[in-house]
Amino acid sequence: MTLVILAALFCGLTILFHVLSIAAAAIRCKARADALPVAVNAPPVTIIRPVCGVENHITETLRSTFKLDYPDYEAIFCVASAKDPIVPIVEELLRKNPRSRARLLVGDERISTNPKLNNCVKGWKAAAHDWIIIADSNVLMPPDYIQRLFAPWTEKTGLVCAPPIGGRPEGFWAELECAFLNTYQARAQYFADTVGLGFAQGKTMFWHRAVLEQAGGIRVLAADLAEDAASTKVVRASGRKVQLVDRPFEQPLGYRSALDVWRRQSRWSRLRRACFPHFFLPEIATGGIFPMVALGVFVEGMDWRAAPFVLALGLAWYGGEIALARVAGWHLSPLYPVQALLRDLLLPILWIDGLFGSKFNWRGNAMSVAVDSPAA
């Protein structure tokens, strides 16, 4: 009977969290057709875009940098090597937009084992303005991108970020990645942000220069292997908050293999364990599998037939995620229930991988959370 009661409590708590996280994400991410207007006396902004290699939809995402509806901004593209195949693409975009205040900086100042952070250092130093956006090359910027980043900023804000929203997937595995990125990870992040536990996300990080410079400058982000984890700790140490933008931005995925999806999720899992172990450990209880098992234990303990109750919970669990995706305007596959169920079956495996694994490869760079992360 003790096991039955514990199963009921666990099932009830996880269902409550699931419902609350769906509601929080639906409110914050609800799709809107209207763009945010530019504020009066809008300050000038610098956009730093580190580039490395040629990704799916890369020309489109980089081109969006030049199409922003904002009166005063510069764009700095940063690449570590002049031999990188992305260089001709960036140079062609610069030629096609001669009136833009944009340039390409080449070089690699190694302040850490994080190649992305090293690539950004020269851009941070060259930035002409105090408001600075660091945005990954695969982020698709809408015309009101900068306005949406300014919107949540208050006097208590230290950093505004946006989690990636997977879009335009090609194939089953890319759609599975959408199920990871959108209705699982983004949902959890928006719930955490809503209750005051915002975490930085490296896809888009919007800084006021003074916040980072007061902590010691961009070099302090080398304190963790992941620059977004270090950013979270820097901002919290300053007494400020990391906040998420409403209506986050798309990352067009294109084709993804099963190995692509696994490697990305494995890397993120290992980094979360290394950088925020006290938040990582409870992740084992997330997803829909354990609540359904717990419900089955409870129902069987009450001498009822478990199958109808478990099936009803599964339909409600994934039906709520489907409703969230529709409200937010995110990609929704006809096979979503299958992909969401597969995602949740993989979550315990990824948790174990994150708990015990340490090595990973990021864009050709062999890295290890055990060796390269001071926090670990």
Side-chain angles (χ1 to χ4, degrees):
M1 184 54 67
T2 300
L3 178 61
V4 170
I5 293 172
L6 290 175
L9 288 174
F10 174 80
C11 185
L13 288 173
T14 52
I15 290 173
L16 178 62
F17 170 78
H18 192 64
V19 171
L20 292 177
S21 64
I22 287 174
I27 293 170
R28 298 285 302 277
C29 302
K30 183 179 181 180
R32 288 173 46 185
D34 56 317
L36 292 182
V38 179
V40 178
N41 299 321
V45 172
T46 295
I47 299 175
I48 299 172
R49 300 208 76 168
V51 293
C52 177
V54 178
E55 303 175 77
N56 296 335
H57 299 281
I58 191 65
T59 300
E60 180 183 5
T61 57
L62 294 183
R63 186 189 299 120
S64 68
T65 315
F66 300 91
K67 307 298 182 182
L68 303 182
D69 182 19
Y70 196 80
D72 192 358
Y73 73 96
E74 66 169 352
I76 302 176
F77 298 90
C78 298
V79 66
S81 170
K83 298 180 180 179
D84 194 298
I86 192 62
V87 170
I89 295 175
V90 176
E91 290 177 337
E92 178 64 17
L93 288 170
L94 293 175
R95 283 193 294 269
K96 289 182 176 179
N97 295 274
R99 296 184 180 180
S100 65
R101 286 188 294 137
R103 50 188 161 146
L104 173 65
L105 300 183
V106 181
D108 194 28
E109 183 175 343
R110 293 187 172 270
I111 65 169
S112 72
T113 54
N114 181 342
K116 174 185 169 183
L117 179 60
N118 297 339
N119 194 13
C120 288
V121 172
K122 56 186 174 291
W124 183 272
K125 291 180 177 179
H129 308 305
D130 289 333
W131 292 97
I132 302 173
I133 300 167
I134 301 176
D136 281 4
S137 58
N138 52 24
V139 173
L140 185 65
M141 299 177 173
D144 63 344
Y145 176 75
I146 297 177
Q147 295 94 299
R148 280 154 68 171
L149 289 171
F150 267 116
W153 198 284
T154 69
E155 61 180 13
K156 295 182 179 180
T157 303
L159 179 63
V160 172
C161 295
I165 298 300
R168 283 181 269 176
E170 297 176 14
F172 180 89
W173 300 111
E175 290 182 331
L176 174 65
E177 185 158 28
C178 286
F180 271 107
L181 294 175
N182 303 355
T183 47
Y184 175 65
Q185 287 161 344
R187 170 173 58 82
Q189 285 180 272
Y190 273 96
F191 177 74
D193 185 68
T194 300
V195 299
L197 285 173
F199 289 82
Q201 181 81 34
K203 283 295 168 187
T204 289
M205 297 199 299
F206 182 38
W207 290 97
H208 189 274
R209 188 194 296 270
V211 174
L212 193 53
E213 293 299 337
Q214 287 169 6
I218 194 169
R219 290 178 176 271
V220 302
L221 301 187
D224 272 286
L225 187 57
E227 77 285 346
D228 44 13
S231 298
T232 300
K233 295 173 183 178
V234 164
V235 171
R236 290 180 180 177
S238 72
R240 297 171 178 265
K241 292 183 178 181
V242 176
Q243 293 183 265
L244 296 185
V245 64
D246 290 345
R247 295 182 295 145
F249 313 115
E250 179 187 356
Q251 178 193 341
L253 296 177
Y255 174 77
R256 308 283 282 180
S257 69
L259 189 58
D260 291 333
V261 177
W262 172 262
R263 283 174 174 169
R264 187 186 209 186
Q265 294 301 322
S266 171
R267 182 177 79 248
W268 286 358
S269 180
R270 294 176 182 193
L271 287 170
R272 289 196 303 273
R273 188 266 300 171
C275 300
F276 296 103
H278 50 298
F279 288 108
F280 171 78
L281 293 177
E283 285 186 22
I284 186 62
T286 60
I289 300 300
F290 289 132
M292 285 187 274
V293 171
L295 180 62
V297 171
F298 170 71
V299 171
E300 287 290 340
M302 300 301 291
D303 292 327
W304 301 333
R305 288 185 59 204
F309 289 91
V310 173
L311 178 60
L313 176 57
L315 292 173
W317 190 277
Y318 298 120
E321 294 186 7
I322 289 171
L324 168 61
R326 291 193 182 280
V327 168
W330 298 338
H331 175 81
L332 196 57
S333 165
L335 296 176
Y336 179 82
V338 175
Q339 289 153 349
L341 182 62
L342 176 58
R343 174 203 69 198
D344 288 354
L345 288 169
L346 288 172
L347 289 178
I349 303 172
L350 281 164
W351 186 86
I352 294 171
D353 175 82
L355 187 63
F356 295 105
S358 62
K359 296 180 180 180
F360 61 90
N361 191 286
W362 187 78
R363 301 203 180 187
N365 297 275
M367 305 173 76
S368 169
V369 296
V371 175
D372 300 326
S373 175

